[in-house]
PDB file of all heavy atoms in Angstrom:
ATOM      1  N   LYS D  74      88.050  39.906  24.301  1.00 97.00           N
ATOM      2  CA  LYS D  74      89.340  39.224  24.396  1.00 97.00           C
ATOM      3  C   LYS D  74      89.217  37.874  25.090  1.00 97.00           C
ATOM      4  O   LYS D  74      90.180  37.141  25.225  1.00 97.00           O
ATOM      5  CB  LYS D  74      90.338  40.116  25.171  1.00 97.00           C
ATOM      6  CG  LYS D  74      90.775  41.348  24.387  1.00 97.00           C
ATOM      7  CD  LYS D  74      91.716  42.240  25.197  1.00 97.00           C
ATOM      8  CE  LYS D  74      90.945  43.035  26.230  1.00 97.00           C
ATOM      9  NZ  LYS D  74      91.773  43.921  27.052  1.00 97.00           N
ATOM     10  N   GLY D  75      87.993  37.571  25.572  1.00 97.00           N
ATOM     11  CA  GLY D  75      87.787  36.307  26.287  1.00 97.00           C
ATOM     12  C   GLY D  75      87.999  36.441  27.780  1.00 97.00           C
ATOM     13  O   GLY D  75      87.858  35.470  28.521  1.00 97.00           O
ATOM     14  N   ASP D  76      88.349  37.651  28.231  1.00 98.00           N
ATOM     15  CA  ASP D  76      88.564  37.859  29.671  1.00 98.00           C
ATOM     16  C   ASP D  76      87.224  38.020  30.389  1.00 98.00           C
ATOM     17  O   ASP D  76      86.254  38.529  29.821  1.00 98.00           O
ATOM     18  CB  ASP D  76      89.407  39.121  29.911  1.00 98.00           C
ATOM     19  CG  ASP D  76      90.815  38.981  29.364  1.00 98.00           C
ATOM     20  OD1 ASP D  76      91.284  37.816  29.274  1.00 98.00           O
ATOM     21  OD2 ASP D  76      91.436  40.004  29.009  1.00 98.00           O
ATOM     22  N   ILE D  77      87.206  37.591  31.643  1.00 98.00           N
ATOM     23  CA  ILE D  77      85.999  37.739  32.460  1.00 98.00           C
ATOM     24  C   ILE D  77      86.053  39.066  33.208  1.00 98.00           C
ATOM     25  O   ILE D  77      87.060  39.387  33.850  1.00 98.00           O
ATOM     26  CB  ILE D  77      85.892  36.598  33.501  1.00 98.00           C
ATOM     27  CG1 ILE D  77      85.919  35.226  32.831  1.00 98.00           C
ATOM     28  CG2 ILE D  77      84.670  36.794  34.385  1.00 98.00           C
ATOM     29  CD1 ILE D  77      84.620  34.795  32.231  1.00 98.00           C
ATOM     30  N   ASN D  78      84.963  39.822  33.121  1.00 98.00           N
ATOM     31  CA  ASN D  78      84.844  41.048  33.906  1.00 98.00           C
ATOM     32  C   ASN D  78      83.678  40.908  34.867  1.00 98.00           C
ATOM     33  O   ASN D  78      82.655  40.305  34.526  1.00 98.00           O
ATOM     34  CB  ASN D  78      84.581  42.255  32.986  1.00 98.00           C
ATOM     35  CG  ASN D  78      85.696  42.436  31.977  1.00 98.00           C
ATOM     36  OD1 ASN D  78      86.822  42.775  32.328  1.00 98.00           O
ATOM     37  ND2 ASN D  78      85.390  42.169  30.714  1.00 98.00           N
ATOM     38  N   VAL D  79      83.841  41.450  36.046  1.00 98.00           N
ATOM     39  CA  VAL D  79      82.742  41.509  37.011  1.00 98.00           C
ATOM     40  C   VAL D  79      82.504  42.984  37.293  1.00 98.00           C
ATOM     41  O   VAL D  79      83.366  43.680  37.838  1.00 98.00           O
ATOM     42  CB  VAL D  79      83.079  40.725  38.298  1.00 98.00           C
ATOM     43  CG1 VAL D  79      81.955  40.869  39.314  1.00 98.00           C
ATOM     44  CG2 VAL D  79      83.321  39.249  37.972  1.00 98.00           C
ATOM     45  N   LEU D  80      81.326  43.464  36.858  1.00 98.00           N
ATOM     46  CA  LEU D  80      81.020  44.898  36.886  1.00 98.00           C
ATOM     47  C   LEU D  80      79.839  45.157  37.816  1.00 98.00           C
ATOM     48  O   LEU D  80      78.832  44.428  37.760  1.00 98.00           O
ATOM     49  CB  LEU D  80      80.646  45.373  35.473  1.00 98.00           C
ATOM     50  CG  LEU D  80      81.608  44.983  34.346  1.00 98.00           C
ATOM     51  CD1 LEU D  80      80.980  45.267  32.975  1.00 98.00           C
ATOM     52  CD2 LEU D  80      82.935  45.733  34.503  1.00 98.00           C
ATOM     53  N   VAL D  81      79.949  46.178  38.656  1.00 98.00           N
ATOM     54  CA  VAL D  81      78.796  46.552  39.479  1.00 98.00           C
ATOM     55  C   VAL D  81      77.691  47.039  38.538  1.00 98.00           C
ATOM     56  O   VAL D  81      77.938  47.877  37.656  1.00 98.00           O
ATOM     57  CB  VAL D  81      79.175  47.635  40.504  1.00 98.00           C
ATOM     58  CG1 VAL D  81      77.935  48.094  41.275  1.00 98.00           C
ATOM     59  CG2 VAL D  81      80.229  47.096  41.482  1.00 98.00           C
ATOM     60  N   ASN D  82      76.495  46.472  38.715  1.00 98.00           N
ATOM     61  CA  ASN D  82      75.380  46.731  37.791  1.00 98.00           C
ATOM     62  C   ASN D  82      74.730  48.075  38.120  1.00 98.00           C
ATOM     63  O   ASN D  82      73.633  48.147  38.678  1.00 98.00           O
ATOM     64  CB  ASN D  82      74.365  45.585  37.906  1.00 98.00           C
ATOM     65  CG  ASN D  82      73.320  45.629  36.805  1.00 98.00           C
ATOM     66  OD1 ASN D  82      73.335  46.511  35.945  1.00 98.00           O
ATOM     67  ND2 ASN D  82      72.402  44.669  36.840  1.00 98.00           N
TER      68      ASN D  82
END
Side-chain angles (χ1 to χ4, degrees):
Chain D
K74 289 178 284 180
D76 295 334
I77 304 280
N78 301 292
V79 177
L80 310 168
V81 175
N82 191 0

